[in-house]
Amino acid sequence: QVQLVESGGGLVQPGGSLRLSCAASGSIFSINVMGWYRQAPGKQRELVAAIASGGSTNYADSVKGRFTISRDNAKNTVYLQMNSLKPEDTAVYYCNALIAHMTGDLDDYWGQGTQVTVSS
């Protein structure tokens, strides 16, 4: 099996920064795409940013220019640098990874979520 372990959430003032990390471990042959999603109270889960194994990235319009996603393939880890945070960024942030196993199977995994609260 595979585990995704997130860290780095917390409380920050508007305009501040946070860095989220997510490390994947377990039965991994390769990781195709890693990404971050978020879910605010009463809202649907939405894509924040994603990064493919080759480095191509995709961002939600609401975070472009403020958030940066990166990954360390050797460590099976994805990062989300969040700058100029706004109260509307408050949500539970979830790590996601599309993982290939030695068997050839491709499975989608989620982390447990980490709370990000932007408030003065």
Side-chain angles (χ1 to χ4, degrees):
Q1 279 297 335
V2 171
Q3 280 191 319
L4 301 183
V5 179
E6 300 145 342
S7 60
L11 173 64
V12 64
Q13 292 186 341
S17 298
L18 282 175
R19 189 191 194 211
L20 305 183
S21 300
C22 171
S25 62
S27 177
I28 299 170
F29 177 71
S30 65
I31 304 180
N32 291 13
V33 180
M34 301 188 83
W36 291 94
Y37 289 72
R38 67 186 180 188
Q39 187 166 19
K43 294 188 177 181
Q44 289 189 332
R45 191 173 295 189
E46 62 175 358
L47 174 68
V48 177
I51 183 167
S53 56
S56 60
T57 58
N58 182 36
Y59 293 93
D61 287 342
S62 59
V63 306
K64 284 180 181 176
R66 299 188 299 122
F67 292 9
T68 302
I69 190 169
S70 61
R71 63 189 281 177
D72 184 333
N73 290 330
K75 296 181 179 179
N76 289 335
T77 298
V78 64
Y79 306 96
L80 186 68
Q81 178 66 43
M82 304 185 293
N83 298 329
S84 303
L85 282 160
K86 304 175 181 179
E88 51 263 44
D89 294 317
T90 296
V92 178
Y93 283 70
Y94 296 91
C95 176
N96 174 263
L98 186 61
I99 293 175
H101 302 288
M102 290 289 290
T103 58
D105 293 336
L106 199 63
D107 291 314
D108 197 41
Y109 293 91
W110 292 90
Q112 78 283 1
T114 185
Q115 177 69 46
V116 171
T117 302
V118 185
S119 175
S120 55

PDB file of all heavy atoms in Angstrom, residues 66-106:
ATOM      1  N   ARG A  66       0.830  33.386  -6.918  1.00  0.00           N
ATOM      2  CA  ARG A  66       1.011  33.393  -5.463  1.00  0.00           C
ATOM      3  C   ARG A  66       1.528  32.049  -4.938  1.00  0.00           C
ATOM      4  O   ARG A  66       2.307  32.015  -3.979  1.00  0.00           O
ATOM      5  CB  ARG A  66      -0.314  33.711  -4.765  1.00  0.00           C
ATOM      6  CG  ARG A  66      -0.890  35.068  -5.126  1.00  0.00           C
ATOM      7  CD  ARG A  66      -2.105  35.405  -4.253  1.00  0.00           C
ATOM      8  NE  ARG A  66      -3.199  34.457  -4.417  1.00  0.00           N
ATOM      9  CZ  ARG A  66      -3.722  33.745  -3.417  1.00  0.00           C
ATOM     10  NH1 ARG A  66      -3.237  33.875  -2.184  1.00  0.00           N
ATOM     11  NH2 ARG A  66      -4.724  32.905  -3.638  1.00  0.00           N
ATOM     12  N   PHE A  67       1.085  30.969  -5.550  1.00  0.00           N
ATOM     13  CA  PHE A  67       1.476  29.627  -5.109  1.00  0.00           C
ATOM     14  C   PHE A  67       2.434  29.004  -6.120  1.00  0.00           C
ATOM     15  O   PHE A  67       2.297  29.236  -7.325  1.00  0.00           O
ATOM     16  CB  PHE A  67       0.258  28.717  -4.978  1.00  0.00           C
ATOM     17  CG  PHE A  67      -0.694  29.059  -3.865  1.00  0.00           C
ATOM     18  CD1 PHE A  67      -0.586  30.234  -3.125  1.00  0.00           C
ATOM     19  CD2 PHE A  67      -1.718  28.180  -3.539  1.00  0.00           C
ATOM     20  CE1 PHE A  67      -1.459  30.541  -2.098  1.00  0.00           C
ATOM     21  CE2 PHE A  67      -2.610  28.457  -2.517  1.00  0.00           C
ATOM     22  CZ  PHE A  67      -2.471  29.645  -1.808  1.00  0.00           C
ATOM     23  N   THR A  68       3.346  28.185  -5.619  1.00  0.00           N
ATOM     24  CA  THR A  68       4.271  27.464  -6.485  1.00  0.00           C
ATOM     25  C   THR A  68       4.334  26.006  -6.046  1.00  0.00           C
ATOM     26  O   THR A  68       4.606  25.724  -4.872  1.00  0.00           O
ATOM     27  CB  THR A  68       5.675  28.067  -6.429  1.00  0.00           C
ATOM     28  OG1 THR A  68       5.624  29.445  -6.817  1.00  0.00           O
ATOM     29  CG2 THR A  68       6.619  27.317  -7.372  1.00  0.00           C
ATOM     30  N   ILE A  69       4.093  25.110  -6.995  1.00  0.00           N
ATOM     31  CA  ILE A  69       4.188  23.689  -6.709  1.00  0.00           C
ATOM     32  C   ILE A  69       5.511  23.168  -7.250  1.00  0.00           C
ATOM     33  O   ILE A  69       5.986  23.602  -8.314  1.00  0.00           O
ATOM     34  CB  ILE A  69       3.001  22.899  -7.312  1.00  0.00           C
ATOM     35  CG1 ILE A  69       2.981  21.457  -6.790  1.00  0.00           C
ATOM     36  CG2 ILE A  69       3.008  22.943  -8.834  1.00  0.00           C
ATOM     37  CD1 ILE A  69       1.706  20.700  -7.135  1.00  0.00           C
ATOM     38  N   SER A  70       6.129  22.258  -6.498  1.00  0.00           N
ATOM     39  CA  SER A  70       7.381  21.648  -6.938  1.00  0.00           C
ATOM     40  C   SER A  70       7.429  20.224  -6.391  1.00  0.00           C
ATOM     41  O   SER A  70       6.634  19.860  -5.514  1.00  0.00           O
ATOM     42  CB  SER A  70       8.588  22.458  -6.458  1.00  0.00           C
ATOM     43  OG  SER A  70       8.617  22.522  -5.035  1.00  0.00           O
ATOM     44  N   ARG A  71       8.354  19.436  -6.931  1.00  0.00           N
ATOM     45  CA  ARG A  71       8.465  18.067  -6.438  1.00  0.00           C
ATOM     46  C   ARG A  71       9.916  17.611  -6.467  1.00  0.00           C
ATOM     47  O   ARG A  71      10.708  18.092  -7.280  1.00  0.00           O
ATOM     48  CB  ARG A  71       7.583  17.110  -7.236  1.00  0.00           C
ATOM     49  CG  ARG A  71       7.921  16.970  -8.689  1.00  0.00           C
ATOM     50  CD  ARG A  71       6.854  16.180  -9.441  1.00  0.00           C
ATOM     51  NE  ARG A  71       6.975  14.732  -9.241  1.00  0.00           N
ATOM     52  CZ  ARG A  71       6.123  13.845  -9.755  1.00  0.00           C
ATOM     53  NH1 ARG A  71       5.082  14.253 -10.463  1.00  0.00           N
ATOM     54  NH2 ARG A  71       6.303  12.547  -9.544  1.00  0.00           N
ATOM     55  N   ASP A  72      10.218  16.698  -5.568  1.00  0.00           N
ATOM     56  CA  ASP A  72      11.515  16.050  -5.513  1.00  0.00           C
ATOM     57  C   ASP A  72      11.269  14.585  -5.823  1.00  0.00           C
ATOM     58  O   ASP A  72      10.795  13.823  -4.963  1.00  0.00           O
ATOM     59  CB  ASP A  72      12.134  16.233  -4.124  1.00  0.00           C
ATOM     60  CG  ASP A  72      13.541  15.667  -4.025  1.00  0.00           C
ATOM     61  OD1 ASP A  72      13.862  14.720  -4.782  1.00  0.00           O
ATOM     62  OD2 ASP A  72      14.310  16.156  -3.197  1.00  0.00           O
ATOM     63  N   ASN A  73      11.554  14.174  -7.046  1.00  0.00           N
ATOM     64  CA  ASN A  73      11.243  12.809  -7.462  1.00  0.00           C
ATOM     65  C   ASN A  73      12.046  11.768  -6.678  1.00  0.00           C
ATOM     66  O   ASN A  73      11.562  10.665  -6.425  1.00  0.00           O
ATOM     67  CB  ASN A  73      11.487  12.641  -8.957  1.00  0.00           C
ATOM     68  CG  ASN A  73      10.474  13.408  -9.793  1.00  0.00           C
ATOM     69  OD1 ASN A  73       9.329  13.596  -9.384  1.00  0.00           O
ATOM     70  ND2 ASN A  73      10.897  13.870 -10.952  1.00  0.00           N
ATOM     71  N   ALA A  74      13.250  12.117  -6.283  1.00  0.00           N
ATOM     72  CA  ALA A  74      14.079  11.168  -5.528  1.00  0.00           C
ATOM     73  C   ALA A  74      13.490  10.879  -4.153  1.00  0.00           C
ATOM     74  O   ALA A  74      13.687   9.801  -3.596  1.00  0.00           O
ATOM     75  CB  ALA A  74      15.487  11.709  -5.384  1.00  0.00           C
ATOM     76  N   LYS A  75      12.752  11.862  -3.617  1.00  0.00           N
ATOM     77  CA  LYS A  75      12.148  11.710  -2.290  1.00  0.00           C
ATOM     78  C   LYS A  75      10.656  11.430  -2.357  1.00  0.00           C
ATOM     79  O   LYS A  75      10.004  11.338  -1.314  1.00  0.00           O
ATOM     80  CB  LYS A  75      12.391  12.978  -1.463  1.00  0.00           C
ATOM     81  CG  LYS A  75      13.851  13.256  -1.164  1.00  0.00           C
ATOM     82  CD  LYS A  75      13.999  14.508  -0.314  1.00  0.00           C
ATOM     83  CE  LYS A  75      15.451  14.779   0.017  1.00  0.00           C
ATOM     84  NZ  LYS A  75      15.613  16.019   0.820  1.00  0.00           N
ATOM     85  N   ASN A  76      10.116  11.319  -3.569  1.00  0.00           N
ATOM     86  CA  ASN A  76       8.658  11.115  -3.728  1.00  0.00           C
ATOM     87  C   ASN A  76       7.876  12.154  -2.928  1.00  0.00           C
ATOM     88  O   ASN A  76       6.886  11.831  -2.253  1.00  0.00           O
ATOM     89  CB  ASN A  76       8.248   9.698  -3.296  1.00  0.00           C
ATOM     90  CG  ASN A  76       8.729   8.635  -4.267  1.00  0.00           C
ATOM     91  OD1 ASN A  76       8.946   8.909  -5.440  1.00  0.00           O
ATOM     92  ND2 ASN A  76       8.909   7.432  -3.771  1.00  0.00           N
ATOM     93  N   THR A  77       8.309  13.385  -3.019  1.00  0.00           N
ATOM     94  CA  THR A  77       7.720  14.452  -2.214  1.00  0.00           C
ATOM     95  C   THR A  77       7.287  15.612  -3.102  1.00  0.00           C
ATOM     96  O   THR A  77       7.989  15.969  -4.047  1.00  0.00           O
ATOM     97  CB  THR A  77       8.723  14.943  -1.161  1.00  0.00           C
ATOM     98  OG1 THR A  77       9.049  13.853  -0.285  1.00  0.00           O
ATOM     99  CG2 THR A  77       8.145  16.083  -0.334  1.00  0.00           C
ATOM    100  N   VAL A  78       6.144  16.174  -2.762  1.00  0.00           N
ATOM    101  CA  VAL A  78       5.639  17.356  -3.455  1.00  0.00           C
ATOM    102  C   VAL A  78       5.495  18.480  -2.435  1.00  0.00           C
ATOM    103  O   VAL A  78       5.171  18.244  -1.270  1.00  0.00           O
ATOM    104  CB  VAL A  78       4.299  17.065  -4.167  1.00  0.00           C
ATOM    105  CG1 VAL A  78       3.199  16.708  -3.170  1.00  0.00           C
ATOM    106  CG2 VAL A  78       3.880  18.224  -5.042  1.00  0.00           C
ATOM    107  N   TYR A  79       5.751  19.694  -2.902  1.00  0.00           N
ATOM    108  CA  TYR A  79       5.688  20.875  -2.050  1.00  0.00           C
ATOM    109  C   TYR A  79       4.713  21.893  -2.632  1.00  0.00           C
ATOM    110  O   TYR A  79       4.516  21.948  -3.851  1.00  0.00           O
ATOM    111  CB  TYR A  79       7.067  21.528  -1.927  1.00  0.00           C
ATOM    112  CG  TYR A  79       8.154  20.595  -1.479  1.00  0.00           C
ATOM    113  CD1 TYR A  79       8.978  19.972  -2.416  1.00  0.00           C
ATOM    114  CD2 TYR A  79       8.362  20.319  -0.130  1.00  0.00           C
ATOM    115  CE1 TYR A  79       9.976  19.100  -2.028  1.00  0.00           C
ATOM    116  CE2 TYR A  79       9.366  19.454   0.269  1.00  0.00           C
ATOM    117  CZ  TYR A  79      10.162  18.849  -0.686  1.00  0.00           C
ATOM    118  OH  TYR A  79      11.141  17.979  -0.285  1.00  0.00           O
ATOM    119  N   LEU A  80       4.144  22.706  -1.753  1.00  0.00           N
ATOM    120  CA  LEU A  80       3.320  23.826  -2.193  1.00  0.00           C
ATOM    121  C   LEU A  80       3.747  25.052  -1.401  1.00  0.00           C
ATOM    122  O   LEU A  80       3.478  25.133  -0.194  1.00  0.00           O
ATOM    123  CB  LEU A  80       1.831  23.546  -1.996  1.00  0.00           C
ATOM    124  CG  LEU A  80       0.900  24.616  -2.561  1.00  0.00           C
ATOM    125  CD1 LEU A  80       0.967  24.637  -4.091  1.00  0.00           C
ATOM    126  CD2 LEU A  80      -0.541  24.397  -2.100  1.00  0.00           C
ATOM    127  N   GLN A  81       4.438  25.957  -2.067  1.00  0.00           N
ATOM    128  CA  GLN A  81       4.824  27.231  -1.451  1.00  0.00           C
ATOM    129  C   GLN A  81       3.686  28.210  -1.664  1.00  0.00           C
ATOM    130  O   GLN A  81       3.325  28.498  -2.809  1.00  0.00           O
ATOM    131  CB  GLN A  81       6.111  27.757  -2.065  1.00  0.00           C
ATOM    132  CG  GLN A  81       6.559  29.097  -1.508  1.00  0.00           C
ATOM    133  CD  GLN A  81       6.953  29.018  -0.048  1.00  0.00           C
ATOM    134  OE1 GLN A  81       7.624  28.100   0.369  1.00  0.00           O
ATOM    135  NE2 GLN A  81       6.521  30.002   0.737  1.00  0.00           N
ATOM    136  N   MET A  82       3.129  28.707  -0.579  1.00  0.00           N
ATOM    137  CA  MET A  82       1.991  29.603  -0.651  1.00  0.00           C
ATOM    138  C   MET A  82       2.389  30.969  -0.106  1.00  0.00           C
ATOM    139  O   MET A  82       2.729  31.088   1.074  1.00  0.00           O
ATOM    140  CB  MET A  82       0.819  29.034   0.163  1.00  0.00           C
ATOM    141  CG  MET A  82       0.401  27.628  -0.256  1.00  0.00           C
ATOM    142  SD  MET A  82      -1.050  27.015   0.607  1.00  0.00           S
ATOM    143  CE  MET A  82      -0.403  26.870   2.266  1.00  0.00           C
ATOM    144  N   ASN A  83       2.368  31.962  -0.971  1.00  0.00           N
ATOM    145  CA  ASN A  83       2.719  33.337  -0.593  1.00  0.00           C
ATOM    146  C   ASN A  83       1.503  34.247  -0.739  1.00  0.00           C
ATOM    147  O   ASN A  83       0.528  33.888  -1.406  1.00  0.00           O
ATOM    148  CB  ASN A  83       3.857  33.845  -1.473  1.00  0.00           C
ATOM    149  CG  ASN A  83       5.129  33.037  -1.319  1.00  0.00           C
ATOM    150  OD1 ASN A  83       5.423  32.495  -0.259  1.00  0.00           O
ATOM    151  ND2 ASN A  83       5.889  32.950  -2.403  1.00  0.00           N
ATOM    152  N   SER A  84       1.585  35.406  -0.146  1.00  0.00           N
ATOM    153  CA  SER A  84       0.506  36.397  -0.232  1.00  0.00           C
ATOM    154  C   SER A  84      -0.847  35.761   0.078  1.00  0.00           C
ATOM    155  O   SER A  84      -1.828  35.944  -0.652  1.00  0.00           O
ATOM    156  CB  SER A  84       0.482  37.038  -1.634  1.00  0.00           C
ATOM    157  OG  SER A  84       1.719  37.627  -1.937  1.00  0.00           O
ATOM    158  N   LEU A  85      -0.896  35.024   1.150  1.00  0.00           N
ATOM    159  CA  LEU A  85      -2.109  34.291   1.497  1.00  0.00           C
ATOM    160  C   LEU A  85      -3.258  35.227   1.831  1.00  0.00           C
ATOM    161  O   LEU A  85      -3.063  36.316   2.408  1.00  0.00           O
ATOM    162  CB  LEU A  85      -1.837  33.352   2.666  1.00  0.00           C
ATOM    163  CG  LEU A  85      -1.100  32.061   2.259  1.00  0.00           C
ATOM    164  CD1 LEU A  85      -0.432  31.407   3.455  1.00  0.00           C
ATOM    165  CD2 LEU A  85      -2.062  31.101   1.589  1.00  0.00           C
ATOM    166  N   LYS A  86      -4.450  34.794   1.446  1.00  0.00           N
ATOM    167  CA  LYS A  86      -5.671  35.561   1.654  1.00  0.00           C
ATOM    168  C   LYS A  86      -6.634  34.752   2.529  1.00  0.00           C
ATOM    169  O   LYS A  86      -6.557  33.516   2.548  1.00  0.00           O
ATOM    170  CB  LYS A  86      -6.345  35.840   0.307  1.00  0.00           C
ATOM    171  CG  LYS A  86      -5.472  36.542  -0.708  1.00  0.00           C
ATOM    172  CD  LYS A  86      -6.187  36.670  -2.031  1.00  0.00           C
ATOM    173  CE  LYS A  86      -5.325  37.344  -3.085  1.00  0.00           C
ATOM    174  NZ  LYS A  86      -6.015  37.459  -4.388  1.00  0.00           N
ATOM    175  N   PRO A  87      -7.551  35.406   3.196  1.00  0.00           N
ATOM    176  CA  PRO A  87      -8.528  34.663   4.005  1.00  0.00           C
ATOM    177  C   PRO A  87      -9.287  33.609   3.199  1.00  0.00           C
ATOM    178  O   PRO A  87      -9.620  32.543   3.729  1.00  0.00           O
ATOM    179  CB  PRO A  87      -9.460  35.758   4.517  1.00  0.00           C
ATOM    180  CG  PRO A  87      -8.588  36.969   4.594  1.00  0.00           C
ATOM    181  CD  PRO A  87      -7.671  36.860   3.407  1.00  0.00           C
ATOM    182  N   GLU A  88      -9.519  33.889   1.922  1.00  0.00           N
ATOM    183  CA  GLU A  88     -10.240  32.920   1.092  1.00  0.00           C
ATOM    184  C   GLU A  88      -9.416  31.686   0.749  1.00  0.00           C
ATOM    185  O   GLU A  88      -9.943  30.737   0.155  1.00  0.00           O
ATOM    186  CB  GLU A  88     -10.759  33.578  -0.192  1.00  0.00           C
ATOM    187  CG  GLU A  88      -9.716  34.360  -0.963  1.00  0.00           C
ATOM    188  CD  GLU A  88      -9.760  35.851  -0.644  1.00  0.00           C
ATOM    189  OE1 GLU A  88      -9.880  36.222   0.558  1.00  0.00           O
ATOM    190  OE2 GLU A  88      -9.645  36.662  -1.607  1.00  0.00           O
ATOM    191  N   ASP A  89      -8.151  31.667   1.117  1.00  0.00           N
ATOM    192  CA  ASP A  89      -7.330  30.465   0.960  1.00  0.00           C
ATOM    193  C   ASP A  89      -7.541  29.485   2.116  1.00  0.00           C
ATOM    194  O   ASP A  89      -7.022  28.361   2.077  1.00  0.00           O
ATOM    195  CB  ASP A  89      -5.848  30.832   0.878  1.00  0.00           C
ATOM    196  CG  ASP A  89      -5.501  31.629  -0.359  1.00  0.00           C
ATOM    197  OD1 ASP A  89      -5.995  31.281  -1.445  1.00  0.00           O
ATOM    198  OD2 ASP A  89      -4.725  32.604  -0.229  1.00  0.00           O
ATOM    199  N   THR A  90      -8.271  29.907   3.126  1.00  0.00           N
ATOM    200  CA  THR A  90      -8.535  29.040   4.272  1.00  0.00           C
ATOM    201  C   THR A  90      -9.290  27.801   3.844  1.00  0.00           C
ATOM    202  O   THR A  90     -10.347  27.892   3.204  1.00  0.00           O
ATOM    203  CB  THR A  90      -9.344  29.806   5.341  1.00  0.00           C
ATOM    204  OG1 THR A  90      -8.551  30.879   5.842  1.00  0.00           O
ATOM    205  CG2 THR A  90      -9.730  28.875   6.483  1.00  0.00           C
ATOM    206  N   ALA A  91      -8.738  26.638   4.171  1.00  0.00           N
ATOM    207  CA  ALA A  91      -9.335  25.368   3.755  1.00  0.00           C
ATOM    208  C   ALA A  91      -8.496  24.226   4.329  1.00  0.00           C
ATOM    209  O   ALA A  91      -7.398  24.456   4.859  1.00  0.00           O
ATOM    210  CB  ALA A  91      -9.375  25.257   2.236  1.00  0.00           C
ATOM    211  N   VAL A  92      -9.019  23.027   4.179  1.00  0.00           N
ATOM    212  CA  VAL A  92      -8.206  21.839   4.399  1.00  0.00           C
ATOM    213  C   VAL A  92      -7.551  21.501   3.068  1.00  0.00           C
ATOM    214  O   VAL A  92      -8.240  21.389   2.046  1.00  0.00           O
ATOM    215  CB  VAL A  92      -9.044  20.650   4.902  1.00  0.00           C
ATOM    216  CG1 VAL A  92      -8.161  19.415   5.071  1.00  0.00           C
ATOM    217  CG2 VAL A  92      -9.724  21.003   6.223  1.00  0.00           C
ATOM    218  N   TYR A  93      -6.242  21.361   3.093  1.00  0.00           N
ATOM    219  CA  TYR A  93      -5.485  21.069   1.879  1.00  0.00           C
ATOM    220  C   TYR A  93      -5.122  19.591   1.856  1.00  0.00           C
ATOM    221  O   TYR A  93      -4.589  19.055   2.840  1.00  0.00           O
ATOM    222  CB  TYR A  93      -4.225  21.940   1.832  1.00  0.00           C
ATOM    223  CG  TYR A  93      -4.516  23.360   1.434  1.00  0.00           C
ATOM    224  CD1 TYR A  93      -5.207  24.213   2.290  1.00  0.00           C
ATOM    225  CD2 TYR A  93      -4.115  23.864   0.203  1.00  0.00           C
ATOM    226  CE1 TYR A  93      -5.501  25.516   1.926  1.00  0.00           C
ATOM    227  CE2 TYR A  93      -4.400  25.168  -0.170  1.00  0.00           C
ATOM    228  CZ  TYR A  93      -5.101  25.980   0.688  1.00  0.00           C
ATOM    229  OH  TYR A  93      -5.391  27.276   0.327  1.00  0.00           O
ATOM    230  N   TYR A  94      -5.402  18.957   0.720  1.00  0.00           N
ATOM    231  CA  TYR A  94      -5.168  17.530   0.551  1.00  0.00           C
ATOM    232  C   TYR A  94      -4.130  17.276  -0.537  1.00  0.00           C
ATOM    233  O   TYR A  94      -4.202  17.855  -1.625  1.00  0.00           O
ATOM    234  CB  TYR A  94      -6.459  16.810   0.163  1.00  0.00           C
ATOM    235  CG  TYR A  94      -7.545  16.856   1.203  1.00  0.00           C
ATOM    236  CD1 TYR A  94      -8.492  17.873   1.199  1.00  0.00           C
ATOM    237  CD2 TYR A  94      -7.628  15.871   2.184  1.00  0.00           C
ATOM    238  CE1 TYR A  94      -9.500  17.920   2.158  1.00  0.00           C
ATOM    239  CE2 TYR A  94      -8.635  15.906   3.143  1.00  0.00           C
ATOM    240  CZ  TYR A  94      -9.560  16.932   3.121  1.00  0.00           C
ATOM    241  OH  TYR A  94     -10.557  16.959   4.061  1.00  0.00           O
ATOM    242  N   CYS A  95      -3.214  16.397  -0.239  1.00  0.00           N
ATOM    243  CA  CYS A  95      -2.249  15.931  -1.219  1.00  0.00           C
ATOM    244  C   CYS A  95      -2.854  14.785  -2.016  1.00  0.00           C
ATOM    245  O   CYS A  95      -3.604  13.954  -1.467  1.00  0.00           O
ATOM    246  CB  CYS A  95      -0.989  15.465  -0.483  1.00  0.00           C
ATOM    247  SG  CYS A  95       0.275  14.753  -1.532  1.00  0.00           S
ATOM    248  N   ASN A  96      -2.529  14.745  -3.293  1.00  0.00           N
ATOM    249  CA  ASN A  96      -3.024  13.688  -4.175  1.00  0.00           C
ATOM    250  C   ASN A  96      -1.879  13.191  -5.046  1.00  0.00           C
ATOM    251  O   ASN A  96      -1.035  13.989  -5.469  1.00  0.00           O
ATOM    252  CB  ASN A  96      -4.159  14.222  -5.041  1.00  0.00           C
ATOM    253  CG  ASN A  96      -4.620  13.231  -6.083  1.00  0.00           C
ATOM    254  OD1 ASN A  96      -4.202  13.290  -7.232  1.00  0.00           O
ATOM    255  ND2 ASN A  96      -5.468  12.300  -5.689  1.00  0.00           N
ATOM    256  N   ALA A  97      -1.864  11.881  -5.306  1.00  0.00           N
ATOM    257  CA  ALA A  97      -0.821  11.330  -6.170  1.00  0.00           C
ATOM    258  C   ALA A  97      -1.385  10.184  -7.007  1.00  0.00           C
ATOM    259  O   ALA A  97      -2.131   9.340  -6.502  1.00  0.00           O
ATOM    260  CB  ALA A  97       0.347  10.830  -5.331  1.00  0.00           C
ATOM    261  N   LEU A  98      -1.024  10.200  -8.283  1.00  0.00           N
ATOM    262  CA  LEU A  98      -1.379   9.116  -9.197  1.00  0.00           C
ATOM    263  C   LEU A  98      -0.139   8.230  -9.321  1.00  0.00           C
ATOM    264  O   LEU A  98       0.861   8.649  -9.896  1.00  0.00           O
ATOM    265  CB  LEU A  98      -1.783   9.684 -10.550  1.00  0.00           C
ATOM    266  CG  LEU A  98      -2.321   8.686 -11.578  1.00  0.00           C
ATOM    267  CD1 LEU A  98      -3.575   8.005 -11.054  1.00  0.00           C
ATOM    268  CD2 LEU A  98      -2.606   9.383 -12.891  1.00  0.00           C
ATOM    269  N   ILE A  99      -0.243   7.029  -8.754  1.00  0.00           N
ATOM    270  CA  ILE A  99       0.934   6.190  -8.552  1.00  0.00           C
ATOM    271  C   ILE A  99       0.851   4.897  -9.337  1.00  0.00           C
ATOM    272  O   ILE A  99      -0.192   4.226  -9.342  1.00  0.00           O
ATOM    273  CB  ILE A  99       1.109   5.898  -7.047  1.00  0.00           C
ATOM    274  CG1 ILE A  99       1.469   7.202  -6.323  1.00  0.00           C
ATOM    275  CG2 ILE A  99       2.149   4.820  -6.806  1.00  0.00           C
ATOM    276  CD1 ILE A  99       1.563   7.085  -4.819  1.00  0.00           C
ATOM    277  N   ALA A 100       1.958   4.573 -10.001  1.00  0.00           N
ATOM    278  CA  ALA A 100       2.073   3.308 -10.719  1.00  0.00           C
ATOM    279  C   ALA A 100       2.800   2.296  -9.834  1.00  0.00           C
ATOM    280  O   ALA A 100       3.810   2.611  -9.211  1.00  0.00           O
ATOM    281  CB  ALA A 100       2.834   3.519 -12.019  1.00  0.00           C
ATOM    282  N   HIS A 101       2.260   1.087  -9.796  1.00  0.00           N
ATOM    283  CA  HIS A 101       2.869   0.015  -9.019  1.00  0.00           C
ATOM    284  C   HIS A 101       3.663  -0.922  -9.940  1.00  0.00           C
ATOM    285  O   HIS A 101       3.519  -0.873 -11.164  1.00  0.00           O
ATOM    286  CB  HIS A 101       1.786  -0.777  -8.283  1.00  0.00           C
ATOM    287  CG  HIS A 101       0.951   0.071  -7.378  1.00  0.00           C
ATOM    288  ND1 HIS A 101       1.425   0.594  -6.194  1.00  0.00           N
ATOM    289  CD2 HIS A 101      -0.316   0.517  -7.497  1.00  0.00           C
ATOM    290  CE1 HIS A 101       0.472   1.297  -5.614  1.00  0.00           C
ATOM    291  NE2 HIS A 101      -0.596   1.275  -6.383  1.00  0.00           N
ATOM    292  N   MET A 102       4.467  -1.777  -9.332  1.00  0.00           N
ATOM    293  CA  MET A 102       5.261  -2.744 -10.102  1.00  0.00           C
ATOM    294  C   MET A 102       4.376  -3.650 -10.937  1.00  0.00           C
ATOM    295  O   MET A 102       4.790  -4.150 -11.982  1.00  0.00           O
ATOM    296  CB  MET A 102       6.126  -3.572  -9.157  1.00  0.00           C
ATOM    297  CG  MET A 102       7.259  -2.801  -8.515  1.00  0.00           C
ATOM    298  SD  MET A 102       8.563  -2.407  -9.701  1.00  0.00           S
ATOM    299  CE  MET A 102       9.241  -4.039  -9.972  1.00  0.00           C
ATOM    300  N   THR A 103       3.164  -3.876 -10.498  1.00  0.00           N
ATOM    301  CA  THR A 103       2.215  -4.744 -11.200  1.00  0.00           C
ATOM    302  C   THR A 103       1.699  -4.108 -12.487  1.00  0.00           C
ATOM    303  O   THR A 103       1.074  -4.778 -13.298  1.00  0.00           O
ATOM    304  CB  THR A 103       1.010  -5.036 -10.297  1.00  0.00           C
ATOM    305  OG1 THR A 103       0.406  -3.789  -9.920  1.00  0.00           O
ATOM    306  CG2 THR A 103       1.433  -5.785  -9.047  1.00  0.00           C
ATOM    307  N   GLY A 104       1.935  -2.803 -12.624  1.00  0.00           N
ATOM    308  CA  GLY A 104       1.389  -2.081 -13.763  1.00  0.00           C
ATOM    309  C   GLY A 104       0.102  -1.350 -13.435  1.00  0.00           C
ATOM    310  O   GLY A 104      -0.392  -0.560 -14.244  1.00  0.00           O
ATOM    311  N   ASP A 105      -0.450  -1.623 -12.267  1.00  0.00           N
ATOM    312  CA  ASP A 105      -1.667  -0.920 -11.854  1.00  0.00           C
ATOM    313  C   ASP A 105      -1.373   0.549 -11.580  1.00  0.00           C
ATOM    314  O   ASP A 105      -0.282   0.911 -11.134  1.00  0.00           O
ATOM    315  CB  ASP A 105      -2.240  -1.569 -10.584  1.00  0.00           C
ATOM    316  CG  ASP A 105      -2.755  -2.966 -10.833  1.00  0.00           C
ATOM    317  OD1 ASP A 105      -3.091  -3.275 -11.994  1.00  0.00           O
ATOM    318  OD2 ASP A 105      -2.806  -3.753  -9.871  1.00  0.00           O
ATOM    319  N   LEU A 106      -2.384   1.361 -11.837  1.00  0.00           N
ATOM    320  CA  LEU A 106      -2.293   2.805 -11.602  1.00  0.00           C
ATOM    321  C   LEU A 106      -3.398   3.172 -10.620  1.00  0.00           C
ATOM    322  O   LEU A 106      -4.578   2.918 -10.887  1.00  0.00           O
ATOM    323  CB  LEU A 106      -2.481   3.555 -12.919  1.00  0.00           C
ATOM    324  CG  LEU A 106      -2.016   4.994 -13.020  1.00  0.00           C
ATOM    325  CD1 LEU A 106      -0.510   5.082 -12.842  1.00  0.00           C
ATOM    326  CD2 LEU A 106      -2.398   5.551 -14.390  1.00  0.00           C
TER     327      LEU A 106
END
